[in-house]
Structures are given as C-alpha cells and as structure tokens.
C-alpha cells in the first residue's frame, strides 16, 4: 500500500516508485491511496493494481482546511483514521507492506490502523517515523521522485529506476488532442503555456506571462495553447486567434496531459505541467 494523498504533482512524481515496485516484485499487488482529484493521473497505469480513494484531511490543499500542524487538523486526521469508510476499506485489504511517501504522523496512524506489519516512512519531515519499521531520511535538496525511489532500498532491492514521472495515455486521447491542436505546418512549433500553480508565491506572475505571450505571438510560426483550470482562464488576457487557443477550464487532467505530449515546448510555473513535460520528455522552461 502506497499512501500519496497529496496534490497532483506529488502523485505524478510517485509513479517511478510504482514501476520500481512492480519490476522488483512482479508477483506483488500494488495499491495506491490518493485523493479523488488525482485518480485520473493513474488511469491506465499498468504498474498499479488498485487506486484507492484516500481523501484524508492532511497535507493537501483540497481537504486540509486548517494549517498542517494545527490542533484542528490533528483531530480531523485522527477521526479520519479511526472512523472513515475509506480507512476501514484500507484496513480490510490486509496489506503486508505500507509506504507513506510524504512521511507524517497521520500516515503512520493510518497504516497502524490497517495493521500493516511492515511500515515505511520519512524521518525529519512531518513525523510518524517512530512507528515505522524503517524510514528514509528527509533531505530538502533531494529530487522528490529520487527520494521516493529510496524506499526500494529499504525493501532490499538495488534496481535502477529512472526518476521520471509517467502517465499512460490511450490512443484516442492522443488523437483527440491532435484535433484540438489543429492542422500543423512543417515549420510550426507548438508551445504550451501554463500560468497557473498551486502556490501563488511560487508563480512567475500573470503580467509576466501576458508579456511573454504577446512577444511569442509576434512569431507566426508559433502555435500557442494556454492550459490550466477555469481559475486560470483570465490570467493571460489575450483573445483566441489562429495562433492562440486559451483552453483553461475546458480540459480535464488527461486531456491537458495529451496536449502537452504533442507540444514542442512547455513554459510554466513549478506546477503539474512541469511534471507532465518531464513525463513526455518535452523541453520545458520553468519560471519562478
């Protein structure tokens, strides 16, 4: 059982660990607990046997209504672990191993509630390591995907896995994305712009993205597509044209991923789109 009930990018960078576990232990059954908002990222992933709804009220923007270390979050987390239907379902699965990739007290509570005998966590981040069988050490300067792969070492395997996120698109999803991009001239470059981000303080800024977009539009060989949530729709105040499509709020997660997979270049904040570009090996410029 892998616990990654966090934000979208966090779930995507957990995918190298999923493939590593299946390759190292091909007879194993791998389940991952994520928030419902992130389940589309794991569709069609052949390294996962089951995606379990785990809408736990800690360490994510969707369900964490109070500061992560506040007494209210503490109590909400405790009630979720003890009494929620999702927690009871996890407990019914009789997992032999559990990995809390984030490493938290609540994650350890959940694994203990499920009576998982072999529990793996993280020391030095959000607690819970005292209850774990083994743990990795938190290092702030370590790539998140690489940190996740360290759990393989705790399970006595030295398999080399590339720390690249993965999302598995279906053929029809790619075909539909091609249609959305439209007919492409030989000299044309497709550029995805993603001005949104989970934390405003980590974003480059709407005005900067607007100025850059207007600059790029001067080159008639560029086909621009802006993607993001409906809240991002007006971040770049430019009208749709033959060279620009604003598709913010019009695409779901997998449709956005398919658009990125067919791009030549991605320009974004430190966000999900950055990880999508990495997954498809699309050159990207991350602006801070």
């Amino acid at each position: 059982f892998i616990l990654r009930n966090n934000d979208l990018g966090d779930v995507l960078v957990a995918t190298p660990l999923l493939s590593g576990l299946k390759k190292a232990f091909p007879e194993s059954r791998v389940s991952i607990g994520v928030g419902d908002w992130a389940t589309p990222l794991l569709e069609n992933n052949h390294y996962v046997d089951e995606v379990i709804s785990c809408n736990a009220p800690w360490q994510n923007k969707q369900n964490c209504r109070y500061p992560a270390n506040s007494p209210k979050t503490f109590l909400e987390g405790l009630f979720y672990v003890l009494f929620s239907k999702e927690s009871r379902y996890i407990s019914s699965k009789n997992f032999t191993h559990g990995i809390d990739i984030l490493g938290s007290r609540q994650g350890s509570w959940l694994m203990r509630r499920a009576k998982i005998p072999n529990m793996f966590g993280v020391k030095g981040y959000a607690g819970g390591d005292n209850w774990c069988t083994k743990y990795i050490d938190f290092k702030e300067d370590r790539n998140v995907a690489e940190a996740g792969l360290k759990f393989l070492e705790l399970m006595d395997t030295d398999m080399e896995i590339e720390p690249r996120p993965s999302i598995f698109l279906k053929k029809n999803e790619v075909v539909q994305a091609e249609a959305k991009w439209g007919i492409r001239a030989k000299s044309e470059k497709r550029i995805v712009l993603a001005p949104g981000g989970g934390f405003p303080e980590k974003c480059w800024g709407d005005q900067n993205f607007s100025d850059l977009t207007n600059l790029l539009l001067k080159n008639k060989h560029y086909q621009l597509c802006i993607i993001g949530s409906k809240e991002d729709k007006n971040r770049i105040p430019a009208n749709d044209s033959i060279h620009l499509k604003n598709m913010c709020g019009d695409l779901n997660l997998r449709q956005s991923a398919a658009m990125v997979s067919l791009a030549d270049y991605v320009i974004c904040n430190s966000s999900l789109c950055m990880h999508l570009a990495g997954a498809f090996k699309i050159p990207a410029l991350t602006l801070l």
Side-chain angles (χ1 to χ4, degrees):
F1 173 66
I2 314 300
L3 177 62
R4 202 48 163 139
N5 59 304
N6 310 106
D7 297 322
L8 297 171
D10 299 318
V11 172
L12 200 58
V13 296
T15 53
L17 174 60
L18 299 176
S19 64
L21 288 168
K22 268 296 186 182
K23 290 174 182 177
F25 309 103
E27 300 302 315
S28 65
R29 180 173 176 81
V30 176
S31 301
I32 182 169
V34 301
D36 288 342
W37 53 86
T39 54
L41 296 175
L42 297 166
E43 287 179 22
N44 207 37
N45 189 318
H46 48 273
Y47 297 120
V48 180
D49 295 291
E50 183 180 15
V51 178
I52 298 174
S53 290
C54 189
N55 298 288
W58 65 80
Q59 299 295 344
N60 59 71
K61 296 186 296 295
Q62 282 77 6
N63 285 355
C64 192
R65 298 185 296 169
Y66 311 105
N69 294 318
S70 71
K72 290 182 178 179
T73 298
F74 177 91
L75 290 173
E76 284 198 342
L78 185 60
F79 271 75
Y80 174 87
V81 169
L82 293 176
F83 305 115
S84 73
K85 182 179 179 180
E86 293 175 349
S87 176
R88 293 198 301 273
Y89 179 77
I90 294 168
S91 298
S92 73
K93 301 296 289 185
N94 298 317
F95 291 110
T96 60
H97 296 71
I99 299 174
D100 178 11
I101 296 180
L102 174 78
S104 65
R105 291 175 300 175
Q106 295 95 325
S108 292
W109 297 344
L110 185 62
M111 292 192 292
R112 289 196 75 182
R113 164 79 163 81
K115 297 181 179 179
I116 299 175
N118 300 287
M119 294 168 41
F120 304 105
V122 180
K123 183 177 183 179
Y125 184 66
D129 54 281
N130 288 337
W131 290 297
C132 291
T133 314
K134 297 180 181 179
Y135 55 77
I136 64 172
D137 292 311
F138 173 71
K139 295 182 180 180
E140 191 171 11
D141 59 348
R142 184 160 57 191
N143 176 284
V144 179
E146 291 177 352
L149 290 171
K150 289 294 180 182
F151 286 106
L152 293 174
E153 296 179 13
L154 298 187
M155 302 179 78
D156 300 320
T157 177
D158 58 357
M159 179 169 287
E160 289 291 327
I161 301 294
E162 184 183 17
R164 182 182 297 279
S166 56
I167 179 169
F168 297 90
L169 297 174
K170 299 174 184 176
K171 184 178 180 179
N172 69 305
E173 291 174 322
V174 178
V175 170
Q176 291 169 7
E178 188 69 59
K180 288 183 174 67
W181 272 111
I183 298 173
R184 174 178 186 165
K186 284 186 177 180
S187 60
E188 190 174 82
K189 296 293 184 184
R190 292 172 171 175
I191 301 175
V192 165
L193 292 157
F199 298 95
E201 62 271 21
K202 293 172 67 176
C203 294
W204 192 44
D206 296 350
Q207 187 60 53
N208 288 329
F209 270 102
S210 297
D211 292 343
L212 177 60
T213 301
N214 289 326
L215 182 65
L216 293 172
L217 283 171
K218 293 179 180 180
N219 189 321
K220 302 308 178 184
H221 295 290
Y222 291 163
Q223 183 69 31
L224 308 181
C225 180
I226 308 170
I227 65 172
S229 66
K230 61 182 180 180
E231 289 79 18
D232 300 326
K233 189 77 174 180
N234 298 317
R235 292 189 184 278
I236 299 177
N239 296 322
D240 284 0
S241 71
I242 59 171
H243 297 292
L244 173 67
K245 294 181 175 72
N246 188 336
M247 308 192 85
C248 294
D250 300 330
L251 307 174
N252 61 34
L253 282 177
R254 295 187 67 81
Q255 289 170 331
S256 296
M259 294 297 286
V260 170
S261 75
L262 296 174
D264 295 296
Y265 209 78
V266 170
I267 302 174
C268 60
N269 294 307
S270 176
S271 63
L272 172 67
C273 196
M274 175 183 71
H275 299 303
L276 290 175
F280 297 113
K281 300 184 179 180
I282 306 300
L285 177 64
T286 303
L287 297 159
L288 303 173

